[in-house]
Amino acid sequence: MVKENDSEKSTAAIIDLLLELDWYEWDPRLYYHRLLEVVLSIIPEASSGTVSIRNPERWEFVASIGHEMPKLLSLQLDPRWWVPLHGVRLVGSLLECLSLATPHESQRALQECFGPAGKTLVGAYQLDNDEEIILTVESTNKKDSGAFAPSHIRTFEAFLKLAGKYQSITLQKMALENVHESLVCSYEEISTLSTKIRELLSLSQQFGDSSVKLSMFFKQLLLVLFKLVDGIDYGSIALIKGERISFISARGHRLKELNQRYLKKQWFLLEEQKTMLEIQHLHQIWKVKMPPEVYTEIQRVFLPTESTLMLTVPVDNRISLLFMLDIAAGKKGRFTNLTKRMCLSFAELARGFVSLRVQAELTQHAYYTFSQKLARVVEQYDPETGAHNYRVSLLSEYLARKMGLSPKRCEEIGRYAGLHDIGKIFIDSVILRKEGPLTAQEFDTVKQHTTFSQELLEGSFFEVARNIAMYHHERWDGKGYPLGLRGNQIPIEAQIVALADVYDALRSSRVYKRPYTKEEALRILIEGDERDLRGQFNPHLLKIFLDHIEEIECTIYKHCPEGAAF
């Protein structure tokens, strides 16, 4: 019970410290002093402590309780004297963390500052910029050798991480503001910066969301940029592929009137080798560079400007981004260095988003290509599946669209429906090619192809494909396999492919049967046969299928590979 109370007390103290960030105006000395107060109040063995910051250029104390801060500040500590420390150590004193190269007079000075101690907890939190936060707490209880309880050591580790995270956030703030001056500033400035950080974080959170469209991301990016950067009136973002430039998003300009015209990058880019250019009266330059009919349309779309900041950011060797940020015509003013740096940071953020999206698409294409090759392996085991898979893919995507699924989901279903039997590559080809009826044991073996598919279709890229391959033999009434799912427990993509698979199997020839006519196949779907197909399919999906059967037959079964009975 004591451990639980200690844990609850530590958690509450950490939350309080997080809530108090703004109270200290982001002054590290004030904040770390407060952090020490909380640490010493929670760890009963500790009576004093320090916080210091070390990097390759300096090592200095920023907070202390129980020691004279002026004396600590007067110490000339060389950062090379520190012995690298990973995590937390229990030592006799801080002197044990110094290298043998530390001069004796410096060791004596440090000993005088810290005085006698029972034991010392020392922890170092490494930051990304070769800087680290060093936290120490000392016990003066020599009777018990100054020992610290294990739970209190874990509490110390938690506060060490909190101190490190605080310092990391502080450095990010300095980078965003591109300022190398003191972090002590007014509460209003910090509140403004906190808002900016939150806006930027809201953008970065979309990096891993594949559902976020490129145009939507850039629209929000421009919105945030205009909130955070003063002095900009209009703006636009374009994607450059080869010799073509396509504008994706704009603020102030009327992109919708561009009518998807083919635009050459040479009409817009002035000096491709330069990342950033500031251009006065851009329209006058465009008038010279563009054909008259193109400039007439561009003039209607892009508002007149006094000055334009043009940033060209390469994504890879094929794609670049063009940012154009404008000051309205007739307004005095130029882009400040801070504005340029902020805009360049946003351009880099955009490059990161596009780069991740491009890499994701390349990876997905690689996985899809690989899976198609695996599907061809299945065809070698079971030659009849080739044309069957093709028709099942067409029919599945058709039904998905009629079901009103999103365009992306419909495309994925059409792309991966042909992999529904991918697990068959693990099934003995002798069983797959058997001409007569399968024994009960052979059928149980074949049924395992659903679960085998998971070994090939791993990862988020293959979620739809995995659902199809795993669950396309489940039934709406719960009598299917491998898990006996029922109703909407079955993923919708598997429900769709299940119907497409069965119908095409009925309409196709097999070594053990002739192809059924449309009328025969429909009668079996509706009334059932010896396999009892009644209740197998989603009733709503089956109705959509029956309502569109003539169109399905016309578009798929009269223009597809052989195998169906017409």
Side-chain angles (χ1 to χ4, degrees):
M1 188 65 184
V2 173
K3 290 184 178 180
E4 292 180 2
N5 290 337
D6 285 347
S7 176
E8 292 174 1
K9 187 177 180 182
S10 300
T11 301
I14 290 174
I15 293 174
D16 288 342
L17 276 172
L18 290 173
L19 295 174
E20 292 175 8
L21 280 174
D22 283 344
W23 293 7
Y24 303 102
E25 299 185 346
W26 290 77
D27 185 333
R29 298 180 186 276
L30 292 176
Y31 185 77
Y32 288 132
H33 188 275
R34 174 58 180 155
L35 183 140
L36 278 176
E37 288 180 341
V38 177
V39 172
L40 296 179
S41 69
I42 291 179
I43 302 178
E45 300 97 329
S47 58
S48 58
T50 64
V51 178
S52 60
I53 299 176
R54 192 195 72 86
N55 58 42
E57 287 76 38
R58 64 184 177 89
W59 178 14
E60 63 180 10
F61 289 91
V62 293
S64 171
I65 293 179
H67 307 296
E68 295 184 34
M69 193 63 183
K71 287 186 177 181
L72 291 174
L73 292 175
S74 67
L75 293 173
Q76 300 296 319
L77 297 177
D78 190 324
R80 293 173 297 180
W81 297 343
W82 175 257
V83 176
L85 174 66
H86 300 288
V88 174
R89 283 179 56 192
L90 183 62
V91 296
S93 72
L94 188 60
L95 290 175
E96 295 182 24
C97 298
L98 301 180
S99 69
L100 296 176
T102 308
H104 292 299
E105 57 271 20
S106 297
Q107 294 187 39
R108 285 195 299 271
L110 194 62
Q111 181 65 44
E112 291 176 3
C113 290
F114 279 84
K119 284 289 184 180
T120 299
L121 271 179
V122 183
Y125 186 95
Q126 185 71 43
L127 302 175
D128 293 335
N129 61 340
D130 292 330
E131 186 169 277
E132 59 184 344
I133 298 294
I134 300 172
L135 177 64
T136 71
V137 294
E138 300 87 30
S139 168
T140 56
N141 181 6
K142 294 184 177 181
K143 293 182 179 180
D144 192 24
S145 300
F148 289 84
S151 62
H152 295 154
I153 294 177
R154 289 193 295 271
T155 297
F156 177 85
E157 291 174 340
F159 278 94
L160 173 63
K161 291 180 181 179
L162 179 61
K165 294 296 183 183
Y166 171 79
Q167 184 67 10
S168 179
I169 293 173
T170 302
L171 293 174
Q172 291 176 28
K173 165 187 171 292
M174 294 174 64
L176 288 171
E177 287 290 336
N178 201 17
V179 175
H180 301 287
E181 60 189 27
S182 172
L183 288 178
V184 180
C185 56
S186 67
Y187 172 79
E188 292 179 356
E189 290 173 335
I190 296 304
S191 297
T192 301
L193 181 61
S194 297
T195 300
K196 294 180 179 181
I197 292 175
R198 285 193 291 270
E199 295 280 4
L200 289 174
L201 287 176
S202 69
L203 280 174
S204 65
Q205 289 171 354
Q206 298 182 24
F207 270 43
D209 189 350
S210 60
S211 66
V212 177
K213 295 183 178 179
L214 208 61
S215 58
M216 183 59 66
F217 176 81
F218 284 125
K219 179 180 179 180
Q220 187 174 351
L221 185 141
L222 280 177
L223 177 64
V224 174
L225 189 150
F226 273 72
K227 284 183 179 180
L228 305 189
V229 182
D230 297 327
I232 300 177
D233 298 305
Y234 320 130
S236 58
I237 303 175
L239 197 65
I240 302 172
K241 291 184 177 180
E243 296 302 314
R244 182 172 185 175
I245 183 170
S246 304
F247 284 88
I248 306 171
S249 185
R251 188 172 177 83
H253 302 303
R254 298 180 283 266
L255 279 189
K256 290 183 179 179
E257 299 182 20
L258 208 51
N259 296 325
Q260 304 299 316
R261 171 184 279 275
Y262 180 88
L263 300 174
K264 295 182 179 180
K265 71 175 182 179
Q266 68 188 48
W267 297 339
F268 292 86
L269 299 187
L270 304 183
E271 298 183 44
E272 290 192 50
Q273 301 304 317
K274 290 191 176 181
T275 301
M276 183 183 298
L277 288 172
E278 185 173 356
I279 305 157
Q280 305 299 311
H281 308 294
L282 183 59
H283 274 255
Q284 296 178 12
I285 300 175
W286 282 349
K287 187 175 182 180
V288 175
K289 290 175 68 69
M290 295 179 180
E293 68 277 7
V294 175
Y295 176 68
T296 299
E297 190 167 350
I298 292 298
Q299 191 178 26
R300 187 174 66 250
V301 172
F302 290 92
L303 300 175
T305 61
E306 187 71 24
S307 182
T308 299
L309 188 64
M310 186 177 288
L311 298 95
T312 308
V313 184
V315 176
D316 57 23
N317 58 0
R318 301 174 300 110
I319 301 174
S320 296
L321 289 171
L322 174 65
F323 275 65
M324 294 195 299
L325 306 168
D326 311 301
I327 297 175
K331 290 183 65 174
K332 294 182 179 181
R334 300 287 295 272
F335 294 97
T336 66
N337 289 333
L338 178 60
T339 295
K340 291 178 181 179
R341 289 194 296 269
M342 290 290 289
C343 292
L344 185 59
S345 296
F346 272 86
E348 292 291 341
L349 183 66
R351 172 165 64 177
F353 179 82
V354 175
S355 179
L356 285 175
R357 188 58 57 86
V358 169
Q359 291 302 317
E361 290 177 357
L362 289 174
T363 303
Q364 188 171 16
H365 178 72
Y367 272 108
Y368 178 63
T369 302
F370 176 68
S371 66
Q372 292 301 301
K373 292 180 179 179
L374 290 177
R376 294 191 186 101
V377 174
V378 176
E379 294 177 20
Q380 300 304 313
Y381 277 74
D382 189 3
E384 295 178 340
T385 61
H388 168 70
N389 287 344
Y390 178 67
R391 291 190 297 270
V392 168
S393 295
L394 291 179
L395 180 53
S396 297
E397 184 170 355
Y398 176 90
L399 292 174
R401 297 189 188 283
K402 293 301 180 182
M403 287 283 286
L405 303 186
S406 69
K408 180 184 177 184
R409 179 57 66 86
C410 293
E411 181 183 349
E412 289 179 328
I413 290 174
R415 172 176 290 181
Y416 294 123
L419 304 181
H420 62 282
D421 282 335
I422 192 71
K424 284 185 177 180
I425 67 172
F426 295 105
I427 305 298
D428 190 338
S429 61
V430 174
I431 298 177
L432 295 178
R433 297 183 180 187
K434 184 176 180 180
E435 296 187 5
L438 297 179
T439 66
Q441 183 178 1
E442 289 172 336
F443 184 57
D444 287 340
T445 299
V446 171
K447 288 197 295 184
Q448 294 180 57
H449 78 278
T450 55
T451 53
F452 286 158
S453 64
Q454 293 185 95
E455 299 182 26
L456 296 172
L457 303 174
E458 295 180 339
S460 58
F461 282 121
F462 279 147
E463 180 181 1
V464 171
R466 187 167 56 252
N467 285 342
I468 290 172
M470 180 74 176
Y471 304 117
H472 71 284
H473 283 295
E474 299 287 358
R475 293 173 50 121
W476 186 259
D477 57 12
K479 298 178 181 179
Y481 65 87
L483 301 180
L485 302 181
R486 68 169 54 245
N488 284 322
Q489 292 177 330
I490 308 168
I492 185 62
E493 51 265 36
Q495 297 179 33
I496 291 172
V497 174
L499 177 55
D501 182 32
V502 170
Y503 184 73
D504 189 79
L506 292 171
R507 295 282 280 119
S508 303
S509 62
R510 290 289 187 267
V511 293
Y512 54 84
K513 78 169 188 67
R514 65 172 178 82
Y516 293 125
T517 64
K518 177 190 71 174
E519 291 73 21
E520 289 173 324
L522 290 178
R523 186 178 66 254
I524 293 173
L525 283 181
I526 298 170
E527 300 176 4
D529 61 2
E530 67 276 3
R531 292 175 300 170
D532 188 21
L533 294 183
R534 288 176 299 177
Q536 179 169 345
F537 306 112
N538 178 339
H540 177 60
L541 173 61
L542 183 58
K543 183 178 185 305
I544 290 176
F545 173 81
L546 296 175
D547 289 345
H548 295 85
I549 187 61
E550 297 303 328
E551 184 178 351
I552 289 170
E553 285 288 329
C554 181
T555 57
I556 296 179
Y557 288 92
K558 290 186 178 180
H559 303 285
C560 279
E562 73 285 355
F566 305 119

